Amino acid sequence: MKKRLMTLAAVIAAVAGATCAQGQFYKIRGLEAGASATGRYVTPISNENSVTPRPTEGVGLLVTLRAAPKSWLGLEANYGLNHYNERYSTQGVTDRTVNDRINTYQHEATLGYVLHLKTLYGIQPFVVVGGGATDFLPRGGGQNQWRGAGMYEVGFDYIPKRSPHVGFRIQQHALLYKAPDYYQNALRSNTWVHQSSPAAGVFVRF
């Protein structure tokens, strides 16, 4: 567990370092640090065999660092943590469904480009496109598994006039990746899934 966390910390540090380095190159106009509470809803978008992933809903945390080389374009680094039960259903010849549950921690490290739209009445919409990796770690031991992931976000920031350095963020944070099978043939679905994580939180501008 300690080794996994150290590896993930190294990935996050590299992502954040790349963000800051690119920000310095483009002359950073501002830095932001934010934290949001998230939900977790997964929908399969493809299926190649009789095994189907049916994970439970979950809750988590999303920590974000942003830099703004330009007023309309920014860079974003994310760390996400979710806790849920991974489930699989197998359709047999008798049409009976068998569920296997794996209590799982999901760690996310992603990087993206942020497109800021015009601010109106203190509300600034944004769109983010990027990618990275997510690590699925069974609770209580077992083989963890990394998956590459595409990432996108749609949301808005609200910056009150009386406190321009503290704002509120509401967004839809989403990932696209292949469902984990923990290197077990019986759980291999070869299914791509869409993970939707509605999020709400606060951020600080430096």
Side-chain angles (χ1 to χ4, degrees), residues 49-55 87-101 186-187:
N49 55 40
S50 60
V51 179
T52 303
R54 301 187 187 279
R87 299 183 304 173
Y88 301 83
S89 67
T90 303
Q91 197 70 27
V93 294
T94 58
D95 291 331
R96 296 181 62 184
T97 300
V98 179
N99 291 316
D100 294 313
R101 293 173 178 262
L187 304 180

Coordinates of all heavy atoms in Angstrom, one line a residue, residues 49-55 87-101 186-187:
N49 N -18.3 -9.2 -24.1 CA -18.5 -10.6 -23.7 C -19.6 -10.7 -22.6 O -20.3 -9.7 -22.4 CB -17.2 -11.3 -23.2 CG -16.6 -10.5 -22.1 OD1 -17.2 -10.0 -21.2 ND2 -15.2 -10.4 -22.1
S50 N -19.8 -11.8 -22.0 CA -20.9 -12.0 -21.0 C -20.6 -11.3 -19.7 O -21.5 -11.3 -18.8 CB -21.2 -13.5 -20.8 OG -20.0 -14.1 -20.3
V51 N -19.4 -10.8 -19.4 CA -19.1 -10.2 -18.2 C -19.4 -8.7 -18.3 O -18.9 -8.0 -19.2 CB -17.6 -10.4 -17.8 CG1 -17.3 -9.7 -16.4 CG2 -17.3 -11.9 -17.7
T52 N -20.1 -8.1 -17.3 CA -20.5 -6.7 -17.4 C -20.1 -6.1 -16.0 O -20.6 -6.5 -15.0 CB -22.0 -6.5 -17.6 OG1 -22.3 -7.2 -18.9 CG2 -22.3 -5.1 -17.7
P53 N -19.3 -5.0 -16.0 CA -19.1 -4.3 -14.8 C -20.3 -3.5 -14.3 O -20.9 -2.8 -15.1 CB -17.9 -3.3 -15.2 CG -18.1 -3.1 -16.6 CD -18.6 -4.4 -17.2
R54 N -20.6 -3.6 -13.0 CA -21.7 -2.9 -12.5 C -21.3 -2.3 -11.1 O -21.8 -2.7 -10.1 CB -23.0 -3.8 -12.3 CG -23.5 -4.4 -13.6 CD -24.8 -5.2 -13.4 NE -25.2 -5.9 -14.6 CZ -25.8 -5.4 -15.7 NH1 -26.0 -4.1 -15.6 NH2 -26.1 -6.1 -16.7
P55 N -20.4 -1.4 -11.1 CA -19.9 -0.8 -9.8 C -21.0 -0.1 -9.1 O -21.9 0.5 -9.7 CB -18.8 0.1 -10.2 CG -19.1 0.5 -11.6 CD -19.7 -0.8 -12.2
R87 N -18.4 -4.3 -8.9 CA -19.2 -5.5 -9.1 C -19.2 -6.0 -10.5 O -19.0 -5.2 -11.4 CB -20.6 -5.3 -8.6 CG -20.8 -4.8 -7.2 CD -22.3 -4.7 -6.9 NE -22.9 -3.7 -7.8 CZ -24.3 -3.5 -7.8 NH1 -25.1 -4.2 -7.0 NH2 -24.8 -2.6 -8.7
Y88 N -19.4 -7.2 -10.7 CA -19.4 -7.8 -12.1 C -20.6 -8.7 -12.2 O -20.9 -9.5 -11.2 CB -18.2 -8.5 -12.4 CG -16.9 -7.7 -12.3 CD1 -16.3 -7.5 -11.1 CD2 -16.4 -7.1 -13.5 CE1 -15.1 -6.7 -11.0 CE2 -15.3 -6.3 -13.4 CZ -14.6 -6.1 -12.2 OH -13.5 -5.3 -12.1
S89 N -21.3 -8.7 -13.3 CA -22.4 -9.7 -13.5 C -22.0 -10.6 -14.7 O -21.5 -10.1 -15.7 CB -23.7 -9.0 -13.8 OG -23.7 -8.3 -15.0
T90 N -22.3 -11.9 -14.5 CA -22.0 -12.8 -15.6 C -23.2 -13.5 -16.0 O -23.9 -14.2 -15.1 CB -20.9 -13.9 -15.1 OG1 -19.8 -13.2 -14.6 CG2 -20.6 -14.8 -16.2
Q91 N -23.6 -13.4 -17.2 CA -24.8 -14.0 -17.7 C -24.5 -15.5 -18.2 O -23.8 -15.7 -19.1 CB -25.4 -13.2 -18.9 CG -26.8 -13.5 -19.2 CD -27.7 -13.0 -18.1 OE1 -27.4 -12.0 -17.4 NE2 -28.9 -13.6 -18.0
G92 N -25.1 -16.4 -17.5 CA -24.8 -17.8 -17.8 C -25.9 -18.4 -18.7 O -26.9 -17.7 -19.1
V93 N -25.8 -19.7 -19.0 CA -26.8 -20.3 -19.9 C -28.1 -20.4 -19.3 O -29.1 -20.5 -20.0 CB -26.3 -21.7 -20.2 CG1 -25.0 -21.7 -21.1 CG2 -26.0 -22.6 -19.0
T94 N -28.2 -20.3 -17.9 CA -29.5 -20.3 -17.3 C -30.1 -18.9 -17.0 O -31.1 -18.8 -16.3 CB -29.4 -21.1 -16.0 OG1 -28.5 -20.4 -15.1 CG2 -29.0 -22.5 -16.2
D95 N -29.4 -17.9 -17.6 CA -29.8 -16.5 -17.4 C -29.8 -16.1 -16.0 O -30.5 -15.2 -15.6 CB -31.2 -16.3 -18.0 CG -31.2 -16.4 -19.5 OD1 -30.1 -16.1 -20.1 OD2 -32.2 -16.8 -20.1
R96 N -29.0 -16.7 -15.1 CA -28.8 -16.3 -13.8 C -27.6 -15.4 -13.7 O -26.6 -15.6 -14.3 CB -28.7 -17.5 -12.8 CG -29.9 -18.4 -12.8 CD -29.6 -19.6 -11.8 NE -29.4 -19.1 -10.5 CZ -29.1 -19.9 -9.4 NH1 -28.9 -21.2 -9.7 NH2 -29.0 -19.4 -8.2
T97 N -27.8 -14.3 -12.9 CA -26.7 -13.3 -12.7 C -25.9 -13.5 -11.4 O -26.5 -13.7 -10.4 CB -27.3 -11.9 -12.7 OG1 -28.0 -11.7 -14.0 CG2 -26.2 -10.9 -12.6
V98 N -24.6 -13.6 -11.5 CA -23.8 -13.8 -10.4 C -22.9 -12.6 -10.2 O -22.3 -12.1 -11.1 CB -22.8 -15.0 -10.6 CG1 -21.9 -15.2 -9.4 CG2 -23.7 -16.3 -10.8
N99 N -22.9 -12.0 -9.0 CA -22.2 -10.7 -8.7 C -21.0 -11.0 -7.8 O -21.1 -11.7 -6.8 CB -23.1 -9.7 -8.0 CG -24.2 -9.2 -8.9 OD1 -23.9 -8.9 -10.0 ND2 -25.4 -9.1 -8.3
D100 N -19.9 -10.5 -8.2 CA -18.6 -10.5 -7.4 C -18.4 -9.1 -7.0 O -18.4 -8.2 -7.8 CB -17.5 -11.0 -8.2 CG -17.6 -12.5 -8.6 OD1 -18.0 -13.3 -7.7 OD2 -17.4 -12.8 -9.8
R101 N -18.1 -8.9 -5.7 CA -17.9 -7.5 -5.2 C -16.4 -7.4 -4.7 O -15.9 -8.3 -4.0 CB -18.8 -7.2 -4.0 CG -20.3 -7.2 -4.3 CD -21.1 -7.0 -3.0 NE -22.5 -6.9 -3.3 CZ -23.2 -5.8 -3.4 NH1 -22.5 -4.6 -3.1 NH2 -24.5 -5.7 -3.6
A186 N -11.8 -14.3 -15.0 CA -13.2 -14.4 -14.8 C -13.9 -13.0 -14.7 O -15.1 -12.9 -14.9 CB -13.5 -15.1 -13.5
L187 N -13.1 -11.9 -14.5 CA -13.6 -10.6 -14.4 C -13.3 -9.7 -15.6 O -13.7 -8.5 -15.6 CB -13.1 -9.9 -13.1 CG -13.3 -10.6 -11.8 CD1 -12.6 -9.8 -10.7 CD2 -14.7 -10.9 -11.5

